[in-house]
Amino acid sequence: FPLLLLLLALPAQSQSRQPTAVEHADVDRYMGQWYEIARLPNQLERHCARDVVSIYERRSESAIRVTYVCSQADGEEESTRGVARIRDAGSNAKLELRFAPLALAWWPFVWDDWWILELAPEYTHMMVGDPSRQTLWIFSRTRAMDDATYQALVAHAAAQGYDTQRLVKTPQSTP
């Protein structure tokens, strides 16, 4: 009975379906450099204070190299390299990411889901997250994003059940 009360008290979205990924993404078009505009706090970027950039490079038909670069609070640059693999070849919008060493790639717990939730037709911005709604990123091809686009992405994330109150905007230095 107490468990039933707890489940009834949870927000309706958490009990419903998974977030919706985009219907299709052209892998080659989303390769390249993306500036992080905002994110939900996460372990990977716990030391990143500003200037977070993600770089995606095609390695094979189903594998992508992912490199995160950021500046820490003390100005030191930090870089983390991982690999992504396409999980849904029909849409190319559902991937798995691994930042653990290759020797651990066989272990399913080192892979995190990475779904493209929103993607501009011109590939100028995108929003990615995981189906458990614990991670979320908003990216742009430029260091800044206009407020209307940002607010539309935040609204879309909230409609999919993400806790957008926890979003942290990422400061980007001017070149």
Side-chain angles (χ1 to χ4, degrees), residues 152-170:
L153 290 169
V154 171
H156 183 202
Q160 293 220 42
Y162 288 87
D163 182 2
T164 57
Q165 298 297 315
R166 293 181 44 238
L167 272 175
V168 176
K169 281 197 166 182
T170 305

Side-chain angles (χ1 to χ4, degrees), residues 30-152:
Y30 71 74
M31 292 299 105
Q33 182 168 296
W34 293 87
Y35 294 93
E36 182 183 274
I37 302 301
R39 69 174 180 263
L40 287 179
N42 62 75
Q43 274 300 108
L44 176 65
E45 298 176 84
R46 67 186 173 277
H47 299 295
C48 294
R50 62 182 316 105
D51 302 321
V52 181
V53 176
S54 296
I55 303 158
Y56 304 92
E57 302 169 86
R58 187 88 178 244
R59 305 306 292 166
S60 71
E61 190 62 31
S62 63
I64 299 162
R65 177 184 293 158
V66 181
T67 306
Y68 278 89
V69 180
C70 72
S71 293
Q72 298 177 28
D74 63 4
E76 190 77 24
E77 186 176 281
E78 180 177 310
S79 178
T80 305
R81 185 169 279 168
V83 66
R85 61 186 181 194
I86 297 170
R87 249 185 68 193
D88 178 7
S91 71
N92 294 326
K94 293 181 180 180
L95 298 94
E96 293 177 315
L97 246 66
R98 170 185 56 79
F99 288 97
L102 179 61
L104 297 177
W106 60 271
W107 200 31
F109 302 107
V110 301
W111 292 93
D112 293 317
D113 287 318
W114 189 87
W115 291 11
I116 303 172
L117 305 170
E118 181 72 36
L119 184 60
E122 316 79 30
Y123 288 69
T124 55
H125 63 266
M126 73 173 167
M127 181 171 64
V128 299
D130 72 303
S132 72
R133 297 178 178 88
Q134 297 302 304
T135 59
L136 181 73
W137 292 270
I138 296 175
F139 293 109
S140 176
R141 292 289 192 182
T142 59
R143 293 176 188 273
M145 177 180 282
D146 66 89
D147 194 53
T149 301
Y150 178 76
Q151 292 303 328

